[in-house]
Each structure stands twice: as structure tokens, then as C-alpha cells.
Amino acid sequence: MATIPKVTLRKREVVGAKESLYLDFYPPVRDPFTMRMTRRESLGIYIYAKPHNEIEREFNHEMMMKAEVIRGLRVQSLINEEFGFLDKNKKKADFLSYFEMKAKTKDQKWMKVHQHFSNFVKGKCTFGDVTVELCNKFRDYLLNTKQLAHKDYKISQNSAAGYFSTFRALLKIAHKEKFFRENLNDFLESIDTTDVKKEYLTLDEVKTLANTPCNISVLKAASLFSCMTGLRISDILSLEWEEIIPASEGGYCMRIRTEKTETETTLPISDEALELCGKRSNGKVFKGLQKHMTHQPLKNWVESAGITKRISFHCFRHTYATLQIALGTDIYTVSKMLTHKNVSTTQIYADLVNSKKRESANKISLK
């Protein structure tokens, strides 16, 4: 039979002739937020180390009583967890704060979903409020709500599908960390995605773009770099020179951790792609690049090149994938270069390519 950790109230001397109260767990318990084992929990309660009068002694007595109540609650929580009961204190915990904390460790998409959920619950939600009914209502909300940045436009069905998938990932984490007794995902249905045309540039169009002046030189360099490497804008914005290193087989490679999939990978880059990075220095590779440049400034540049397709920065990633497949690179290699978790995700690019061209040492060249 498992042993319930012993919880002892202890004191620690601090500056100012005071003592800090904390709980000592033995054996250690797992912190539900950091998921690390710990023996201490600071209560944020301070008492006088040597009370000089009745007021200070009374103050110490009241603080010790409060700390003892907290100790008792912790013992109760540990017993509930051990014997399978849902801890009532967890049900009262702030789910929105928990969501925000997790989102900050992820990418921008998580923060967007957090903002949508906060709007949906009007800024207030505990773990006890999160039920299957509430989750299904949030599902309906996502299918009908407007974009955060553009209030006149609804979010697309595919965006709604992605947002709800992220929300379900949060529920899975919360269940794993024992904030929920059951996995609510077992009772929820995902939102179906719709087929969307993936726009991309032909090699001739990429060459045309490369030969077209751009008012923002760093935007041009980063865009062409994406065409030649397949990197997402989030990874290009965060790319640092220390991540571009000599490869063991010759040439250079990027050792990065992708923001979206949190995948650690090493990707080779061609000498031509490296030239787009400019002179080696410290810090960010594409210094001065801002996310807003990938909207209207990018659109203006593409239009000035005579390209009529609706091209976003992400289309350069599609361009890389389709050109590699068209030039004969096997789909497994392309999948690894794009850091896809499943080859099936990469298959959509193969479907865009009508025929393969001969293989060459440097598959994509703008010269």
C-alpha cells in the first residue's frame, strides 16, 4: 500500500528579524505545474522571530493557525489523490491562469486560443467549470466567432479546427497532471477541416521574385531563405547565428528547435541559402525582421514582381516542398526537412506536383 507523504510545518529565518513558514513533504511530492519532485512549499506567511509584545505574539498565533489550516488541506489533498478522489481545492483553482501559463511555454497559436477561450468565458473559469458541455459550447463558439485581429471576419473552419485541437491538447495535459479525474477528450469530437488550395511559386516565379527589388532588404532575404529551406516565419524570426554550424559532411547546417512542433532537428543548408543570411555576427540572423513585414510589404513586393497569386509568407514553405518533390527528392527526405511528424502530412505536396524533373546536386538555385 502506498505511503501518504508526511506534511510538516516548518520555519526558516529571513532578514528583518522574521521567520518564513513553509511545508516540508516527506517523501517528496510532484509539483503539478512544474511536474518536478519537491519537498518544500513556501506559504508566503511570515511571523516575528522574537515577538516583543502581546500584539506580536497574537499576530504569530493567528499566522500559525492559518498555516496549520493550509497544512491540513495539503494532507487532505494528498489523501484524495492517493485514493482516487477528486480534490475539491483543484476544482476551485483558476483554469484560465493555468491555460495562460501553459500557453506561454508554447507558440502564438496557444495564446490566441487562450484569448478566444477567455473571451468565451468572459474572463472567469475554474477547473470545476470545465465540463463536456462547456467544451462543446466552446467548439460551437469557435465555429462562429470573429478573428481577434480582424473583427469583421470570421475565423476559418480550418483555424477553428486547429484552435479546438490545441484546446483539447490542453485538456489532455491537465488530465495527465491530475487536474481532471477523466479525460474530457473522450467525450469530445474534433472539428473537421476543409480542403484548401495550397498556393506556391514555380521555380521561374521564385527567380523572378529574387530579381525584383524590395523596399525591405531583410524581408527579401528571409523570404528567399524560406523558399530554399522550408523554414516557417516563426523559426526564421528566432534563428540565431550560433544555430548555424559547420556540418560533419561539409558545408553548413542549422541545429534548431522548431517553435510549432517543438522538434529538435539538424537541417543542412546550401551555400546559396547561407549567402542570404549575410555576414556572420552575433544574435539574430535576420536582424530587423518583423512579423508585420510579412503582410502588406510582402504583398506589395510580390505584386511588383508581376505575380498575381495570393502569396503569404507561409506559401514559401509550400514552394520549398513542391519544388523539392518536383526536382526528384524523395518524400521521406522532404518530410524530415519540413520537420513533419508524419509523412502523410507531406503527401499533400506530392499531390500538387504533376511530374518529376531530373535530380541535381543543388535542387533549388536562384542563379
Side-chain angles (χ1 to χ4, degrees):
M1 185 174 180
T3 301
I4 305 299
K6 181 180 179 181
V7 186
T8 305
L9 179 61
R10 300 192 187 281
K11 306 173 186 177
R12 181 174 64 87
E13 289 186 6
V14 294
V15 295
K18 290 190 176 183
E19 293 177 325
S20 172
L21 302 183
Y22 69 94
L23 298 180
D24 181 5
F25 300 93
Y26 184 82
V29 298
R30 190 174 299 280
D31 186 306
F33 290 95
T34 65
M35 296 306 291
R36 295 176 180 175
M37 301 302 290
T38 182
R39 280 199 57 180
R40 289 191 173 194
E41 178 188 358
S42 176
L43 300 182
I45 298 176
Y46 300 88
I47 61 174
Y48 294 98
K50 296 180 179 180
H52 294 93
N53 52 51
E54 188 61 30
I55 294 177
E56 291 183 354
R57 282 190 287 271
E58 181 63 26
F59 175 84
N60 279 8
H61 177 71
E62 290 183 7
M63 293 302 102
M64 290 295 293
M65 290 290 289
K66 289 182 179 181
E68 188 59 38
V69 169
I70 296 173
R71 190 195 70 81
L73 291 173
R74 294 297 182 272
V75 172
Q76 184 183 53
S77 296
L78 292 168
I79 293 174
N80 285 338
E81 289 295 328
E82 186 60 42
F83 291 97
F85 297 102
L86 181 60
D87 182 12
K88 293 181 180 179
N89 295 311
K90 283 187 177 179
K91 293 183 68 175
K92 296 177 183 178
D94 190 341
F95 179 74
L96 266 181
S97 294
Y98 175 83
F99 194 163
E100 183 179 20
M101 179 192 67
K102 294 298 181 184
K104 286 181 177 179
T105 66
K106 305 292 184 178
D107 55 30
Q108 291 183 345
K109 180 181 175 183
W110 276 70
M111 291 303 297
K112 286 184 179 180
V113 180
H114 169 266
Q115 186 59 58
H116 275 298
F117 186 77
S118 180
N119 294 343
F120 167 65
V121 297
K122 296 180 171 56
K124 186 177 181 180
C125 183
T126 66
F127 279 92
D129 295 328
V130 183
T131 62
V132 173
E133 181 181 9
L134 182 80
C135 294
N136 279 326
K137 286 183 178 180
F138 181 53
R139 182 182 186 275
D140 294 337
Y141 169 89
L142 290 173
L143 287 169
N144 295 283
T145 195
K146 300 293 180 64
Q147 297 178 23
L148 294 174
H150 306 285
K151 302 295 184 181
D152 294 332
Y153 300 95
K154 283 178 56 178
I155 64 175
S156 67
Q157 176 148 334
N158 285 357
S159 291
Y163 290 169
F164 196 57
S165 176
T166 295
F167 180 71
R168 294 182 68 191
L170 174 73
L171 297 178
K172 182 178 180 180
I173 294 172
H175 173 248
K176 182 179 179 181
E177 295 179 358
K178 297 185 178 181
F179 282 95
F180 296 123
R181 261 298 147 216
E182 56 187 358
N183 188 356
L184 298 178
N185 284 309
D186 293 340
F187 309 96
L188 301 176
E189 292 186 7
S190 61
I191 296 176
D192 293 332
T193 58
T194 58
D195 290 334
V196 176
K197 180 182 179 182
K198 290 188 178 296
E199 200 66 88
Y200 63 95
L201 299 174
T202 65
L203 184 53
D204 286 340
E205 287 171 330
V206 176
K207 290 181 178 180
T208 298
L209 200 58
N211 292 320
T212 301
C214 179
N215 292 332
I216 307 175
S217 58
V218 69
L219 172 62
K220 180 176 181 177
S223 300
L224 298 177
F225 186 79
S226 180
C227 288
M228 301 191 73
T229 61
L231 250 60
R232 300 178 180 89
I233 180 60
S234 56
D235 297 321
I236 289 179
L237 283 168
S238 62
L239 183 63
E240 298 198 350
W241 276 109
E242 65 179 20
E243 296 173 315
I244 299 180
I245 59 176
S248 58
E249 68 276 11
Y252 284 82
C253 62
M254 299 177 290
R255 185 174 293 171
I256 62 174
R257 180 180 180 85
T258 59
E259 183 176 320
K260 182 176 180 180
T261 61
E262 297 185 336
T263 303
E264 291 186 2
T265 186
T266 300
L267 303 173
I269 58 175
S270 67
D271 292 340
E272 197 172 332
L274 186 60
E275 288 178 11
L276 292 167
C277 298
K279 187 177 180 180
R280 178 175 285 273
S281 61
N282 297 319
K284 293 288 194 298
V285 173
F286 295 97
K287 290 181 174 64
L289 182 65
Q290 300 292 326
K291 184 71 177 290
H292 70 85
M293 296 176 182
T294 66
H295 300 303
Q296 194 60 45
L298 174 63
K299 181 180 178 182
N300 295 339
W301 175 43
V302 172
E303 288 179 352
S304 68
I307 298 172
T308 58
K309 296 176 181 178
R310 295 187 63 181
I311 299 297
S312 66
F313 196 95
H314 197 69
C315 292
F316 299 141
R317 180 172 167 84
H318 300 327
T319 297
Y320 170 83
T322 53
L323 289 180
Q324 284 287 357
I325 292 174
L327 292 166
T329 304
D330 66 273
I331 195 170
Y332 179 79
T333 300
V334 176
S335 181
K336 289 297 183 182
M337 291 294 289
L338 293 172
T339 65
H340 285 162
K341 292 184 177 180
N342 300 301
V343 176
S344 58
T345 306
T346 320
Q347 183 62 43
I348 58 176
Y349 297 110
D351 296 338
L352 295 175
V353 178
N354 294 322
S355 63
K356 290 186 176 182
K357 298 179 180 179
R358 68 177 181 84
E359 295 184 6
S360 59
N362 289 307
K363 295 293 173 62
I364 301 175
S365 177
L366 307 182
K367 297 179 179 179

